[in-house]
Amino acid sequence: MNTPTAQQSNNAVEMRDIVKRFPGVVANDHVTFLARRGEIHALLGENGAGKSTLMNVLSGLYTPEEGDIFINGEKVVFHSPRDAIAAGVGMVHQHFRLVPTLTVIENVILGLDEPRFRLSLEKARAKIQALSEQYGLKIDPDAYIWQLSVGEQQRVEIIKALYRGAQILILDEPTAVLTPQETEELFKTLRSMAEKGHTIIFISHKLDEVMAIADRVTVLRQGKVVATVDIDEVTKEKLAEMMVGRPVIFRIEKPAIEPGEEVLRVEDLHVLNDKGLPALKGVSFVVRAHEIVGVAGVSGNGQTELAEALYGLRPIEKGRIRLYGKDMTQASTQDIIRQGVAHIPEDRHKEGSVGNMSLSENLIMKNYRQPPMARGPLIDWRYVRNFARNLIQRFNIIAPGIQTKARLLSGGNLQKLILARELSSEPGLIIAMHPTQGLDVGATESVRKQLIAEREKGAGILLISEDLDEVMQLSDRILVIYEGEIMGETPADRADRNEIGLMMAGERVANQHTS
Ligand SMILES: Nc1ncnc2c1ncn2[C@@H]1O[C@H](COP(=O)(O)OP(=O)(O)O)[C@@H](O)[C@H]1O
Ligand SMILES: [Mg+2]
């Protein structure tokens, strides 16, 4: 193969035949990836497709086993992120790498090789301010990182890369932590950077986003490149198919149903977080039968604590929880389960399943003490085997058999297993926390359908999710949580994305609690 020289090439980035293996998996399998100067290039793929790995190779964090990298037509070999930065490649990782107790300026200049006597805070401040204006990255250079919102911290990471002269900027799933408005601002910044000749590589698994921001998109599936295409030449449906490997249906039918009796009533709930600080500050709402109530919000605003409090896993400082009118404020998890509450937890490995137990054991975990699972003190294993086989079939769990250990399941199948167990008890209330997070499109579709089916059967569902599209699509009513308070409530069919975004950022818009 002849490689273009610097003069011929208009590719700022060329990665050719990159192979990167981890024990038991080929994360990048002969990947060729080209990105031009001045373009926003999306790297799209499902969880585990190899996106982060490929960009960690480009940013010098990983050394590939095979393949070559060219920057502006010149072959490079990176031994560390420092080498990559020297070649003009900067990366904003999914988890930021800032020091909370230092200021913005200190973080930006941290680790630079400039000799001490030349390191002037004044000069750094001026340069940061210039970058901030040039690219619309609003930031106070003297603020401490711990004082900043997640969106602001992201801006610091971007400034840090630009400060080091990044011509090629990689952002790994940058919108996951942003409100819709912050996302729009980030997109403006990225566009202005591209106009100034930067190459932006934007990692995402969200199709709408990629359609909105990218000039071109490279799709990865199971470590391999499916294709690189111009965004004008594809549709969302086409991209989804490339990503998943089969056609995908986006619309979920949700029949209109009148809500029934009140299932859950939360009044003035106050709960502390793990640090002993207020996590919920007077939360009140109601969930009825046949109703999905969505809780939207940027993560870390009290959602985890809310789910735990409702499931009896976190002490309640003040306020009341009622199930079917019955006071359950101080009830144990066992009592709450007995009242017909199902819980789809945030962490499906740690809370939702026991890795070293079999599928059937995981499936009966909640009700093996009662008939028909048990006859007296004994478990009826024949019943259990049939029960487990039925659920595995009904929920389409792909596994060798009912004796397979849960830890051997993929994320999607593990989530289906948890759903199968939780829904098999015919719950009256389902607390679902990020039920589709990290799942591929197929598994996501199946989980959403199950929740809609439960709503039809009469369950009340509290859907806590960071995915605003999911909340808007599935919910009947939407609550927005911010710093432990409900900022407002809106019926889903009249929900305004913009308004919800403002509430997610802490603005009270329509505070009309249901009574
Ligand atoms: N540090 C690592 N050690 C072992 N396996 C890894 C590591 N990083 C990623 N993998 C594996 O490589 C594959 C690709 O992962 P990743 O690049 O993170 O995908 P994506 O960013 O597209 O979600 C996955 O199967 C993942 O489990
Ligand atoms: Mg990733």
Side-chain angles (χ1 to χ4, degrees), residues 20-23 25-28 45-54 56 62 94 172-173 203 220 223:
K20 176 68 197 167
R21 294 190 188 89
F22 292 112
V25 51
V26 189
N28 292 153
E46 296 195 322
N47 246 285
K51 307 179 295 292
S52 296
T53 301
L54 186 69
N56 284 333
Y62 295 157
Q94 248 171 322
D172 195 349
E173 311 229 7
I203 301 183
L220 285 184

Side-chain angles (χ1 to χ4, degrees), residues 33 210 219 222 245 250 256 266 268 323 329 349 368 397 482:
F33 173 82
V210 169
V219 183
Q222 293 174 0
F250 286 104
V266 175
D268 192 31
L323 285 170
T329 312
H349 297 279
Y368 67 91
I397 301 167
Y482 173 76

